[in-house]
Every structure is written in structure tokens, then in C-alpha cells.
Amino acid sequence: MTQGFTLWLTGLSGAGKTSIAVAVEHELLARGVRVERLDGDTVRQGLSRDLGFSKADRDKNIERVTFVARLLSRNGVAVIAAFISPYRAARDAARRETTGFIEVHVSASVAVCAARDTKGLYAKALAGEIADFTGVNDPYEAPLAPELTLHTGEETLAQSVATVLAYLEDRGLIPAAQPAASEDSL
Ligand SMILES: Nc1ncnc2c1ncn2[C@@H]1O[C@H](COP(=O)(O)OP(=O)(O)OP(=O)(O)O)[C@@H](O)[C@H]1O
Ligand SMILES: [Mg+2]
């Protein structure tokens, strides 16, 4: 059984958490790693559908996710968690309670994220139509000592994913990619 870990992606909406999480999950599955991906959007449709975006509700959301990540990671599963998770204390609790916690700051400026506006939410938030929108009218506490920082405004998705995979490989948490079959071996 491979060693479980919790790859925790934090950052503003539109910074690239889901894109990176999906690509890393895909690659881990291809390498035979048991993986579970937890994403803010799906968790808020299910486990946390009763919660809003006040600080108390955000804390409760991350507390629940941490609980799930703890159960999985201690049983050898590679957990990929993609949550804005704006509060440092809540992320620090996840660090304490899960196995092999790796904090990844998916970093992009509000300007970059607003220009992407993948969900059309920045336009609304900047027009004052959404209260409690992280980075616009709600706080984001950047990690102070993350294991990795990905500057997604300045690198491609493939580059960000490669950085994460290299980090996991270097620590022996995932097997190296199988080399592509060469003409000779066919
Ligand atoms: N290096 C990069 N890493 C990740 N995404 C990138 C990168 N460069 C550009 N992008 C683009 O940025 C967008 C990020 O959107 P994504 O939905 O992944 O953000 P998110 O952090 O999950 O946001 P939310 O919190 O709203 O779910 C995508 O359109 C993606 O293709
Ligand atoms: Mg997302």
C-alpha cells in the first residue's frame, strides 16, 4: 500500500485549483495510485449544502473536509483537496489532523483571476452583487510556509501540474511515470 497523503490546494476562485487537481488526479490514476479528489464545488452541493460563506460556515466546511481527508489519508489514499480555504487557522488544523499534509498555494492575483472569470462571479462580485466573495470583499489569508507555491498567472497548467508531480515523486509518495514504450520494445 502506498503511503497516504493530503495534497491541499488553496487559493482564490479562478486561481486554478480544480484544473490542477483534475490533472494531477488523472496522472495518479494512470500510475495506479488510489486517489480521492475533494472539490469545493461538489462538497458544497453535498456534504456542506447547508452552509453559506460566513467565516463560521467556511470554517465548518473545511472542518468537515478535513475529517474526510483524515479518514482517507490515514488509510493510504492520496487525497487531493481543492478548496479556497481562505483562513490560515482552518488549513493549519487540516495540517495537524491529516496524514502527509502538503499545502499548495495556487497563487494568482485578483486581477488575473478576475480577467479569467471562469464562472462569471468576479463581474458580479465587483459590481457589488455578491457579498463575502474571497479576494473582493472577503479575506484571503495566504499561506505563510506552503510546501509549494504555483504562480498560475505566469505558467501553464502543464507546468504547474509537473511541479506537483515532481514534488510527490521526489518524496517517494507516488511512483515515477512509466516510460512510453519505445519502438525497440515493441
Ligand atoms: N498554471 C495554471 N494552473 C491552473 N489553471 C490555469 C493555469 N494557467 C491558466 N489556468 C486557467 O485558469 C482557470 C482556473 O480555473 P479553475 O476552475 O481551475 O479555478 P479554481 O481555483 O478551481 O476556482 P474556484 O475556486 O472558483 O473553483 C482555468 O481556466 C485554467 O485553464
Ligand atoms: Mg474549483
Side-chain angles (χ1 to χ4, degrees):
M1 187 169 84
T2 51
Q3 198 186 324
F5 60 87
T6 303
L7 185 76
W8 190 282
L9 308 177
T10 172
L12 299 178
S13 177
K17 302 177 297 297
T18 298
S19 304
I20 293 166
V22 167
V24 170
E25 177 190 35
H26 188 79
E27 187 57 34
L28 265 49
L29 288 172
R31 298 186 193 187
V33 176
R34 286 202 303 158
V35 54
E36 185 66 57
R37 183 170 57 84
L38 304 169
D39 192 279
D41 282 344
T42 45
V43 167
R44 279 186 171 279
Q45 282 165 18
L47 182 63
S48 290
R49 64 182 169 275
D50 56 319
L51 301 180
F53 292 89
S54 66
K55 179 172 189 304
D57 277 9
R58 288 178 187 270
D59 283 347
K60 206 178 287 180
N61 181 43
I62 296 307
E63 206 177 298
R64 291 176 186 175
V65 171
T66 296
F67 184 83
V68 175
R70 168 182 152 82
L71 298 181
L72 293 168
S73 61
R74 76 180 182 189
N75 282 296
V77 176
V79 176
I80 305 173
F83 295 84
I84 296 174
S85 46
Y87 294 109
R88 214 169 270 145
R91 296 193 306 266
D92 287 348
R95 179 184 290 278
R96 285 194 301 275
E97 291 170 28
T98 64
T99 297
F101 186 84
I102 301 158
E103 189 172 32
V104 182
H105 184 196
V106 182
S107 177
S109 66
V110 172
V112 165
C113 295
R116 288 176 180 161
D117 210 3
T118 44
K119 298 176 182 170
L121 294 175
Y122 278 92
K124 287 187 185 157
L126 291 165
E129 292 166 23
I130 304 177
D132 307 332
F133 195 81
T134 301
V136 175
N137 50 13
D138 215 47
Y140 179 74
E141 299 174 356
L144 296 177
E147 277 70 16
L148 281 175
T149 300
L150 305 171
H151 296 283
T152 68
E154 289 132 44
E155 62 190 36
T156 64
L157 173 59
Q159 287 171 326
S160 299
V161 170
T163 300
V164 172
L165 294 172
Y167 181 93
L168 298 173
E169 273 183 31
D170 288 351
R171 281 153 190 80
L173 292 168
I174 60 169
Q178 295 296 317
S182 71
E183 292 291 328
D184 293 348
S185 65
L186 293 175

